[in-house]
Amino acid sequence: MTVTRSASWLSAVRAAVVFIVLCGGLYPLLVTNAGKVMFLHEALGSMIIVDDTVVGSELVGQRFTAPEYFHGRPSAAAYDPFSVGGSNYSASNPDLRARAAEDSSIIAQREGFDPGSIPVDLISASGSGIDPHISPESATVQAERVAKARDIPVSHVNELIERYTEGPTLGVFGQPRVNVLRINLALDGKEISD
């Protein structure tokens, strides 16, 4: 028994339709709805809400430049979540080295630190360009400036750094980190509701 060309094409079209419906429709709906049931906060973008207003996401960095706030990492994407990405410069790239030297000089002058002792995450952009975290060391470098600008004791700022330091995910993955938006909202005395 031989299969005609039209029968084989019909089988291929049927298989394509079945896989399009399963993989392009049912599976994404199932996974999305399961995510909403099991991880509602994360599935809705991990939004940070203050006084019934969305002020940002725990997952997307924002630009802070005022002296009374902690500053995040540099962003190759200008903190735009729709154009994420790093600069893709290698460590030997002269443009990257020039930007890093300029940034470390500015940070050293602003924070009153030796350029060689500035934590690398205040100078280097993350791979996504929108990392919302800094290291506890980077927060500590900025503590005195924040305290002075707000006219509050440095010890209070250090307590906030300690309180808002998150440990590695599941106790194993990643490094300790401080969410810049969350600690800045705490400095403003804002109540965060998730």
Side-chain angles (χ1 to χ4, degrees), residues 41-42 45-48 56-61 128 130-133 179:
H41 179 67
E42 291 83 358
S46 300
M47 297 297 169
I48 296 177
S57 169
E58 291 180 31
L59 307 175
V60 179
S128 68
I130 59 171
D131 189 351
H133 298 99
N179 187 290

Side-chain angles (χ1 to χ4, degrees), residues 59-140:
L59 307 175
V60 179
Q62 295 181 21
R63 183 178 223 42
F64 289 97
T65 57
E68 63 268 16
Y69 290 110
F70 286 95
H71 301 174
R73 296 180 72 165
S75 174
Y79 297 99
D80 180 3
F82 296 107
S83 64
V84 297
S87 67
N88 292 330
Y89 288 148
S90 71
S92 62
N93 185 293
D95 291 339
L96 177 64
R97 288 177 175 266
R99 187 203 48 84
E102 182 182 343
D103 285 356
S104 63
S105 175
I106 291 168
I107 292 168
Q109 186 176 22
R110 180 182 69 215
E111 307 299 344
F113 271 78
D114 174 50
S117 65
I118 296 170
V120 71
D121 60 313
L122 284 181
I123 299 167
S124 63
S126 65
S128 68
I130 59 171
D131 189 351
H133 298 99
I134 56 175
S135 65
E137 294 79 21
S138 291
T140 301

